């Protein structure tokens, strides 16, 4: 291994490979180190194996951070159209699924191969199955003790991601590096993650496991209108994953299981027009049959529609249009798609992602306290932050 580089990038994920490619194509001698056996593992599994590589509707409003303005510079410098142009230049067919989400027609592996090819254009080196054991800093740069020997560099980029999906090797390494050099790290927690119920609630909702429905889910003042899925642990689906980034323990979420439908008015009208119908039959016109049956049995267990008073119909309708439920927790980093929080953005230059305290030290991608919504936004942050740092190192 060549021991001296202009730039060492720790992490061969989306942000790290993008940064390495840009730096190498600018003439820098670049080494990328990753403890994994293959590059881009989170890319490989993303989007059901087809990689939701960006979102054409990306704005700074689609990101959470203690400083919501921090992401603006990088996102303006490298936009979705820029990455789409790169994808198109490699002849990778893609399509928009919903809500601006772009996926490969083929395999997520195409995006990994694109990044490796871009790195190759500048002769960036890649060392896999190599762990960083210690980092030191002096006036000439950084020295890394690795499992393959000592490496020195003038600039060091930390692109090691967050704690989500530890079975793929995720860890808090990047946060430890930040703290080693005196940078603050905001509190971290699982995000874009299924929410869980306590035992008593699970016993009641167990019959609904596997039922999916379009819903509107609100956590605080933020709401999302996408699919919801009942599970054997609680709730999942895009709307729940989105809301999980805003939800905190002890809080309720508000769920509308039939958005756009006035269920109370529907039930009252049916009481007159179809008096002999069962409440479950009427609800099944608006909801999946199993969910309709569950709600009817819970709130209107006896008789047909003619037997249901307003006193019965109103709570039944509220159970659909205004269900308030308090999750007990989340499934944690095991299934979380990203980590909320990270290296404090006040410690970094927004244009370059360089440390304000330690010149030559950069943090990019998920390790930073910038977390996107579900739907390609986190990949766009990876491309934008990686590109911005790659133009500076």
């Amino acid at each position: 291994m060549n021991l001296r580089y202009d730039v060492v990038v720790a992490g061969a994920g989306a942000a790290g490979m993008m940064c390495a490619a840009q730096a190498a194509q600018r003439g820098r001698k670049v080494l990328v180190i990753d403890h994994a056996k293959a590059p881009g593992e989170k890319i490989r599994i993303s989007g059901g194996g087809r990689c939701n590589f960006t979102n054409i509707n990306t704005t700074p409003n689609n990101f959470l951070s203690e400083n919501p303005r921090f992401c603006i510079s990088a996102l303006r410098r490298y936009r979705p159209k820029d990455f789409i142009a790169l994808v198109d230049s490699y002849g990778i067919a893609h399509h928009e699924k919903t809500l601006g989400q772009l996926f490969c027609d083929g395999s997520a592996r195409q995006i990994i191969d694109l990044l490796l090819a871009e790195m190759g254009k500048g002769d960036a080196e890649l060392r896999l199955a190599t762990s960083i054991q210690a980092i030191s800093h002096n006036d000439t740069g950084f020295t890394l003790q690795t499992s393959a020997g000592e490496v020195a560099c003038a600039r060091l980029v930390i692109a090691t991601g967050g704690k989500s999906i530890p079975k793929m090797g995720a860890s808090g390494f990047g946060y430890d590096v930040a703290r080693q050099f005196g940078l603050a790290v905001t509190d971290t927690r699982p995000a874009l993650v299924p929410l869980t119920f306590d035992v008593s609630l699970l016993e009641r909702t167990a019959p609904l496991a596997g039922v999916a429905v379009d819903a509107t889910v609100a956590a605080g003042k933020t709401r999302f209108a996408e699919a919801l899925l009942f599970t054997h642990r609680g709730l999942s689906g895009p709307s729940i994953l989105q809301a999980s980034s805003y939800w905190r323990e002890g809080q309720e979420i508000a769920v509308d299981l039939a958005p756009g439908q006035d269920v109370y008015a529907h039930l009252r009208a049916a009481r007159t027009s179809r008096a002999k119908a069962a409440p479950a039959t009427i609800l099944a016109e608006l909801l999946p049959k199993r969910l309709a049956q569950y709600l009817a049995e819970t709130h209107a267990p006896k008789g047909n529609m003619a037997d249901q008073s307003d006193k019965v119909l109103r709570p039944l309708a509220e159970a659909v249009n205004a269900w308030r439920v308090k999750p007990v927790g989340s499934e944690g980093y095991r299934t979380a798609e990203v980590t909320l929080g990270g290296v404090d953005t006040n410690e970094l230059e927004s244009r370059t992602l360089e440390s304000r305290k330690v010149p030559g030290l950069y943090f990019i991608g998920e390790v930073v306290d910038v977390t996107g919504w579900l739907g390609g936004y986190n990949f766009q942050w990876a491309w934008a932050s990686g590109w911005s740092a790659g133009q500076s190192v």
Side-chain angles (χ1 to χ4, degrees):
M1 183 186 289
N2 189 322
L3 298 181
R4 182 76 193 181
Y5 294 85
D6 298 320
V7 182
V8 169
V9 178
M17 288 194 284
M18 171 61 90
C19 178
Q22 295 303 312
Q25 290 178 30
R26 292 176 55 242
R28 305 296 189 258
K29 187 168 186 59
V30 179
L31 172 66
V32 180
I33 297 176
D34 200 301
H35 66 286
K37 295 179 180 180
E41 282 292 85
K42 285 188 76 173
I43 298 175
R44 181 181 60 81
I45 67 169
S46 68
R50 293 196 174 187
C51 187
N52 179 192
F53 58 81
T54 192
N55 193 299
I56 60 176
N57 298 323
T58 300
T59 74
N61 294 332
N62 305 119
F63 295 84
L64 292 81
S65 174
E66 289 194 4
N67 177 7
R69 297 186 59 80
F70 179 82
C71 64
I72 292 175
S73 177
L75 292 173
R76 283 181 176 172
R77 296 185 72 199
Y78 195 84
R79 299 173 184 266
K81 66 179 183 181
D82 298 313
F83 193 75
I84 294 168
L86 182 61
V87 169
D88 288 342
S89 74
Y90 278 80
I92 299 173
H94 55 84
H95 62 279
E96 179 181 347
K97 192 172 181 181
T98 56
L99 303 173
Q101 302 170 40
L102 298 189
F103 290 76
C104 297
D105 288 357
S107 166
R109 180 72 210 186
Q110 294 173 289
I111 300 297
I112 299 172
D113 291 342
L114 176 158
L115 293 167
L116 292 172
E118 286 292 295
M119 287 169 55
K121 288 181 179 179
D123 294 324
E125 296 181 41
L126 176 61
R127 293 289 180 267
L128 298 169
T130 301
S131 60
I132 298 173
Q133 299 160 343
I135 303 172
S136 59
H137 178 243
N138 58 33
D139 293 340
T140 62
F142 302 85
T143 301
L144 284 65
Q145 305 298 330
T146 81
S147 57
E150 186 176 282
V151 178
C153 59
R155 295 174 179 83
L156 175 61
V157 181
I158 303 300
T160 50
K163 300 177 182 177
S164 56
I165 317 182
K167 69 178 182 180
M168 300 189 69
S171 72
F173 176 83
Y175 311 135
D176 294 337
V177 174
R179 294 188 185 100
Q180 175 188 337
F181 288 100
L183 278 66
V185 177
T186 68
D187 290 341
T188 57
R189 58 183 291 120
L192 301 182
V193 62
L195 298 177
T196 57
F197 291 162
D198 62 30
V199 174
S200 62
L201 182 54
L202 276 180
E203 288 176 350
R204 300 198 299 274
T205 60
L208 298 177
V211 172
V213 62
D214 287 335
T216 298
V217 178
K221 297 180 180 180
T222 307
R223 63 182 59 243
F224 295 93
E226 295 184 69
L228 174 149
L229 175 69
F230 289 88
T231 74
H232 63 287
R233 291 191 177 95
L235 296 174
S236 188
S239 62
I240 292 295
L241 299 187
Q242 297 278 38
S244 73
S245 295
Y246 294 85
W247 174 81
R248 294 295 178 271
E249 285 80 359
Q251 296 179 347
E252 289 183 330
I253 57 173
V255 181
D256 185 348
L257 296 167
Q261 299 287 342
D262 186 336
V263 176
Y264 183 56
H266 185 80
L267 291 171
R268 292 193 75 204
R271 183 173 57 191
T272 300
S273 62
R274 282 171 287 170
K276 294 183 179 180
T281 301
I282 303 303
L283 280 181
E285 296 169 355
L286 306 175
L287 300 170
K289 184 176 181 180
R290 194 153 32 121
L291 178 57
Q293 187 70 38
Y294 168 83
L295 291 171
E297 291 175 355
T298 302
H299 296 278
K302 297 179 180 179
N304 54 31
M305 288 302 299
D307 302 314
Q308 311 304 321
S309 66
D310 286 355
K311 191 175 181 180
V312 172
L313 294 184
R314 189 173 291 280
L316 175 57
E318 288 180 352
V320 180
N321 282 145
W323 180 34
R324 302 192 70 87
V325 60
K326 185 184 292 185
V328 70
S330 78
E331 291 191 8
Y333 290 116
R334 180 182 63 84
T335 58
E337 297 203 14
V338 291
T339 302
L340 187 69
V343 177
D344 193 326
T345 57
N346 291 323
E347 303 281 9
L348 307 175
E349 295 286 349
S350 62
R351 182 176 175 83
T352 64
L353 286 298
E354 184 176 14
S355 166
R356 297 177 183 272
K357 292 178 180 175
V358 185
L361 179 62
Y362 297 73
F363 292 84
I364 60 175
E366 187 182 346
V367 74
V368 179
D369 175 29
V370 174
T371 306
W373 290 3
L374 183 73
Y377 298 103
N378 286 294
F379 273 127
Q380 186 57 37
W381 170 245
W383 314 137
S385 60
W387 186 92
S388 295
Q391 302 304 306
S392 175
V393 293

